[in-house]
């Protein structure tokens, strides 16, 4: 098995690793090798919660057919129960046993899977998917991730894995195993450490129920999806009643408050730069949106680690991946409950 090229990223410090130690309160860290993936798949089969890397962000996985395991995801994240989960699959074939694919869905799956695209499709009857996964909707969000560790785990497990991002609800999504451990250490059973995620932003979500509709900007630019379909994507009309119920106004939030479109830091602010600006943290000094996407959540985690209470962020161009970056920054800056 090729677990490949992505495994050379920084991993947890050895003293944080407790391999094969499993009690209710101890997190078992697994290496992304065949033995580790087999252990992780066994945990999933036993109804446990296992965080694992994908190319977008780390997911917190559970067997999507196991009500108790899925309830455990909501509990670990402190997630509102109305918010449905994405189901991760090893391949499209498994997706077709769960969902009805129309022509648009076929086209998008062929073009972008495996990859950072989630499709919302009509759920077939009697699939065994827990109702807690769909939060009672008649549709299911599915994705085939493009990461050798995620692929290895899904193949070893052999079934559908429900996995939201592996962070406490409302907080910044994790792009390293250390981020996951910092947020959920005592609440989950296993963590496969596959280093840093390459894309760094969650998947783009497109509904193919009716006209293809962009529900969440993400790791694949909407322009690329529209080009594949040869027509523009519809967008959910009213942002106050989003069709992706998880799109809460305040989300992805670091501890400090955020001021957007800032050209310089005011007194007491820490600057998060983009492009050639003088700042202690910079998403991409060269102004590269792909690099900025990959670094965004890590920078927000670093700002928490620096105990930054006020954060000023440079303007980010609003095209390509910049749309998803700005979406996450707006939510990070939104007033909190
Ligand atoms: O990249 C990603 O998508 C990551 C990795 C782990 O795959 N996952 C992720 O999941 O971001 P999560 O749970 O943080 O976000 C899932 C989003 C939520 O906004 C949710 O409301 C929406 O997907 N969603 C799930 N099922 C849906 C459905 N049937 N209809 C509409 N939206 C749905
Ligand atoms: Mg999330």
């Amino acid at each position: 098995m090729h677990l490949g090229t992505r495994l050379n990223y920084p991993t947890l410090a050895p003293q944080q690793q407790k391999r094969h130690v499993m009690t209710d309160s101890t997190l078992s860290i697994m290496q992304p090798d065949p033995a580790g993936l087999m252990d992780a798949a066994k945990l999933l089969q036993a109804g446990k919660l296992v965080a694992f890397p994908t190319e977008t962000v780390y997911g917190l996985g559970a067997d999507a057919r196991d009500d108790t395991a899925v309830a455990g995801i909501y509990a670990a994240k402190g997630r509102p129960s109305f918010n449905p989960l994405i189901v991760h699959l090893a391949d499209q074939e498994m997706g077709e046993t769960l969902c009805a694919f129309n022509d648009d869905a076929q086209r998008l799956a062929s073009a972008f899977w495996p990859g950072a695209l989630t499709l919302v499709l009509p759920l077939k009857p009697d699939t065994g998917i827990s109702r807690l996964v769909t939060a009672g909707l008649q549709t299911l969000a599915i994705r085939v991730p493009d990461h050798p560790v995620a692929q290895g785990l899904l193949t070893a497990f052999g079934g559908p894995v429900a996995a939201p991002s592996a962070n406490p609800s409302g907080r910044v999504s994790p792009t390293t195993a250390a981020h996951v451990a910092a947020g959920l250490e005592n609440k989950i059973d296993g963590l496969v450490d596959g280093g840093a995620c390459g894309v760094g932003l969650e998947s783009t979500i497109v509904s193919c129920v009716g006209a293809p509709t962009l529900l969440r900007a993400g790791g694949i630019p909407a322009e690329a999806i529209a080009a594949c379909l040869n027509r523009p994507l519809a967008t959910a009309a009213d942002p106050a009643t989003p069709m992706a119920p998880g799109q809460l106004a305040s989300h992805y939030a670091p501890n400090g408050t955020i001021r957007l479109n800032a050209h310089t830091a005011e007194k007491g602010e820490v600057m998060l730069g983009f492009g050639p600006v003088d700042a202690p943290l910079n998403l991409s000094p060269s102004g590269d949106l792909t690099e900025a996407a990959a670094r965004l959540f890590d920078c927000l985690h670093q700002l928490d680690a620096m105990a930054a209470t006020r954060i000023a962020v440079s303007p980010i161009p609003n095209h390509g991946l910049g749309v998803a970056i700005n979406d996450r920054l707006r939510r990070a800056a939104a007033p909190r409950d």
Side-chain angles (χ1 to χ4, degrees):
M1 178 172 0
H2 290 284
L3 290 172
T5 50
R6 289 175 205 248
L7 306 181
N8 301 326
Y9 291 101
T11 53
L12 290 179
Q15 65 271 21
Q16 289 176 268
Q17 299 190 3
K18 291 176 197 146
R19 194 170 174 140
H20 305 300
V21 181
M22 291 178 210
T23 69
D24 278 355
S25 59
T26 308
L27 173 60
S28 172
I29 309 280
M30 281 149 299
Q31 296 309 303
D33 53 28
L37 293 180
M38 200 47 72
D39 288 346
K42 282 186 190 145
L43 283 178
L44 288 175
Q45 274 154 8
K48 304 287 186 187
L49 303 183
V50 178
F52 61 97
T54 79
E55 77 279 32
T56 59
V57 300
Y58 273 71
L60 177 57
D63 184 340
R65 303 157 297 192
D66 181 333
D67 289 329
T68 310
V70 176
I73 293 180
Y74 286 100
K77 283 183 62 91
R79 182 171 196 160
S81 57
F82 53 78
N83 191 352
L85 306 174
I86 296 173
V87 168
H88 296 66
L89 307 165
D91 52 37
Q92 185 182 342
E93 208 178 320
M94 194 183 290
E96 287 176 7
T97 67
L98 302 175
C99 293
F101 281 64
N102 61 15
D103 288 349
D104 292 325
Q106 284 291 354
R107 188 181 279 241
L108 293 176
S110 313
F112 296 107
W113 282 355
L117 175 68
T118 293
L119 294 176
V120 171
L121 302 174
L123 177 64
K124 287 185 172 173
D126 304 322
T127 58
I129 295 290
S130 166
R131 274 181 210 282
L132 286 172
V133 168
T134 55
L137 298 171
Q138 304 294 315
T139 54
L140 183 67
I142 56 175
R143 159 168 125 77
V144 177
D146 182 20
H147 188 293
V149 176
Q151 278 283 337
L153 177 60
L154 291 165
T155 304
F157 177 62
V161 173
S165 50
N167 52 288
S169 190
R171 308 303 305 190
V172 180
S173 296
T175 56
T176 66
H179 296 161
V180 177
L184 294 175
E185 180 157 26
N186 299 318
K187 303 205 161 115
I188 64 177
D189 305 293
L191 166 58
V192 187
D193 184 355
C197 303
V199 175
L201 287 176
E202 294 85 349
S203 59
T204 305
I205 305 180
V206 172
S207 167
C208 287
V209 181
T213 304
L214 180 68
L215 300 186
R216 176 176 76 183
I220 295 181
E223 294 95 321
I225 295 166
C228 170
L229 293 173
N230 228 350
R231 64 189 149 131
L233 288 170
T235 47
D238 178 1
T241 53
M243 286 172 65
Q247 299 292 81
L248 304 173
S250 170
H251 202 160
Y252 311 103
N255 292 318
T257 57
I258 293 192
R259 185 167 64 89
L260 301 176
N261 298 315
H263 291 280
T264 52
E266 292 170 1
K267 193 159 176 281
E269 286 182 335
V270 180
M271 185 85 196
L272 174 58
F274 176 83
V277 294
D278 184 23
L281 281 176
N282 199 313
L283 291 167
S284 172
S286 66
D288 179 86
L289 287 169
T290 303
E291 181 185 26
R295 285 178 44 74
L296 175 65
F297 291 144
D298 190 55
C299 284
L300 296 180
H301 281 283
Q302 283 187 51
L303 287 159
D304 276 351
M306 292 161 67
T309 53
R310 293 170 55 213
I311 301 158
V313 187
S314 294
I316 313 287
N318 205 41
H319 58 78
L321 285 178
V323 176
I325 295 171
N326 282 321
D327 169 79
R328 303 305 186 270
L329 284 171
R330 266 196 308 278
R331 290 176 209 282
R336 312 196 182 146
D337 295 337

